């Protein structure tokens, strides 16, 4: 296959899967990037929350049995976008935050945090996130500011009774340490869970939700499959993190909320669970984590 043919294949949108037996939610997605990143363009364009491409993504998700989504911000503009979409479309609730890789780059971190705090008080905002710690893309020079941002988001989540959505990459011990030092909010979600079974057991002991993305289906993800096997049933969530990490058999394609069911089907097989029962459990857990839509 030529590179041009291979690229064309990757740009083809996967078909909408058959609907799940019980509707579920995508607990973490970035529809602003999904809709703004066309099949034959880069992802520099930003569409309005009312753009037809955004509605199409939500309609396709609904057709696949994904009735609800959590739209997640990573900076002030994308957080404002998330709130606008949630206020426009009842299928969506918002999470707002400064991403841990972006926080160290800000000249006015306090000013950005103040804007996030304003957004956090809006009724359709259910979470502060994604925040956290990332030692893969942020080196030691930026980690103090990253940690300061994380602590500020924890404080806001507690003050406004919002769920805390954590981005944790290569920083498991420090994430747990900071949560213990600050005192964790009532609801904590480890987004795109990336730890092993030992870390999963500790998160379960602390009552933290673990959200698994499409990468759990990848052939090289045995560690994640071991982790999900020990995740307490009542703490299991699923997500796309769209447009990233489309599940097998669509790995390498642009992901969307309509594909989260492929991850659930994989997990039902891996965990030897009835699909309908697993969907009902995941949906109930999402409501516990983020409230009713």
């Amino acid at each position: 296959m030529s590179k041009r043919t291979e690229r064309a294949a990757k740009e083809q949108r996967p078909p909408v899967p058959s609907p799940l037996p019980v509707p579920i939610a995508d607990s973490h997605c970035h529809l602003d990037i999904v809709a703004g990143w066309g099949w034959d363009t880069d992802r520099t364009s930003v569409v309005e929350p009312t753009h037809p491409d955004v509605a199409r993504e939500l309609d396709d998700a609904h057709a696949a049995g994904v009735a609800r989504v959590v739209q997640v911000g990573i900076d002030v503009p994308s957080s404002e976008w998330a709130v606008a979409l949630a206020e426009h479309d009842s299928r969506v609730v918002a999470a707002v935050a400064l991403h841990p890789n972006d926080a160290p780059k800000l000249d006015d971190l306090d000013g950005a945090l103040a804007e996030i705090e304003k957004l956090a008080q809006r009724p359709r905002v259910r979470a502060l996130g994604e925040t956290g710690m990332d030692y893969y893309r942020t080196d030691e020079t930026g980690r103090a500011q990253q940690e300061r941002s994380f602590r500020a988001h924890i404080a806001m989540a507690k003050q406004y009774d919002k769920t805390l959505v954590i981005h944790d990459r290569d920083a498991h011990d420090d994430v747990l340490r900071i949560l213990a030092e600050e005192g964790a909010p009532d609801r904590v979600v480890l987004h795109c869970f990336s730890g092993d079974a030992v870390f999963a057991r500790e998160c379960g002991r602390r009552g933290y939700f673990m959200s698994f993305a499409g990468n759990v289906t990848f052939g090289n993800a045995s560690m994640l499959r071991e982790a999900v096997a020990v995740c307490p049933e009542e703490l299991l969530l699923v997500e796309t993190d769209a447009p990233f990490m489309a599940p097998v058999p669509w790995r390498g394609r642009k992901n969307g909320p309509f594909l989260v069911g492929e991850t659930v089907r994989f997990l039902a097989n891996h965990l030897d669970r009835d699909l309908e029962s697993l969907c009902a459990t995941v949906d109930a857990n999402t409501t516990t984590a983020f409230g009713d839509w």
Side-chain angles (χ1 to χ4, degrees):
M1 180 183 295
S2 69
K3 289 185 178 180
R4 177 177 293 182
T5 303
E6 184 178 358
R7 180 180 177 184
K10 288 185 176 181
E11 289 176 348
Q12 291 179 358
R13 195 169 191 267
V16 177
S18 57
L20 293 165
V22 173
I24 65 167
D26 179 357
S27 74
H28 192 111
C29 68
H30 303 279
L31 285 171
D32 51 329
I33 304 177
V34 173
W37 180 9
W39 297 108
D40 56 358
T41 66
D42 62 24
R43 53 190 174 114
T44 58
S45 58
V46 178
V47 301
E48 293 298 320
T50 54
H51 193 281
D53 285 352
V54 180
R56 181 186 71 159
E57 292 293 337
L58 292 167
D59 291 344
D60 284 351
H62 189 269
V66 184
R68 307 180 290 168
V69 303
V70 181
Q71 169 66 20
V72 179
I74 59 173
D75 54 20
V76 172
S78 63
S79 294
E80 292 172 338
W81 196 99
V83 175
L85 178 60
E87 292 178 344
H88 169 71
D89 196 307
S90 62
R91 295 172 288 187
V92 180
V93 294
V96 300
L98 307 177
H99 193 283
N101 288 325
D102 291 343
K105 302 174 186 176
L106 295 173
D107 293 330
D108 184 9
L109 177 59
D110 290 337
L113 287 169
E115 293 301 313
I116 294 297
E117 183 170 8
K118 291 177 186 176
L119 293 171
Q121 298 173 62
R122 305 276 276 271
R124 296 295 291 172
V125 174
R126 301 297 175 79
L128 270 297
E130 58 187 281
T131 182
M133 302 295 289
D134 187 318
Y135 292 170
Y136 181 77
R137 296 193 183 279
T138 296
D139 63 23
E140 294 182 0
T141 62
R143 290 177 188 170
Q145 184 139 312
Q146 189 177 82
E147 182 171 331
R148 185 160 71 90
S149 176
F150 184 29
R151 290 181 186 274
H153 283 83
I154 294 171
M156 283 188 271
K158 293 194 293 185
Q159 181 176 354
Y160 300 108
D161 190 26
K162 305 291 183 178
T163 301
L164 184 72
V165 175
I166 295 176
H167 170 108
D168 163 30
R169 190 165 185 186
D170 296 346
H172 306 325
D173 290 344
D174 279 346
V175 164
L176 294 180
R177 172 183 61 81
I178 292 165
L179 285 169
E181 289 174 356
E182 293 294 323
D186 290 340
R187 299 170 305 281
V188 173
V189 176
L190 273 296
H191 132 71
C192 191
F193 190 84
S194 62
D196 59 12
V198 172
F199 185 56
R201 287 192 180 95
E202 180 58 25
C203 289
R205 188 186 69 80
R206 298 182 185 214
Y208 300 162
F209 289 96
M210 289 164 261
S211 184
F212 289 85
N215 57 342
V216 74
T217 71
F218 296 175
N220 61 353
S222 59
M223 181 183 74
L224 293 180
R225 290 188 284 277
E226 291 168 1
V228 75
V230 302
C231 174
E233 178 180 295
E234 69 275 11
L235 298 175
L236 176 63
L237 301 176
V238 294
E239 65 175 84
T240 57
D241 198 19
F244 313 108
M245 293 184 300
V248 171
W250 307 113
R251 184 177 182 179
R253 304 283 186 96
K254 185 174 73 169
N255 202 1
F258 70 102
L259 290 178
V260 75
E262 301 298 271
T263 300
V264 178
R265 289 183 171 95
F266 176 90
L267 290 176
N269 181 67
H270 175 65
L271 300 172
D272 194 23
R273 286 285 306 276
D274 173 72
L275 178 60
E276 182 173 350
S277 172
L278 183 59
C279 287
T281 295
V282 167
D283 193 59
N285 292 347
T286 309
T287 299
T288 302
F290 294 101
D292 290 320
W293 263 235

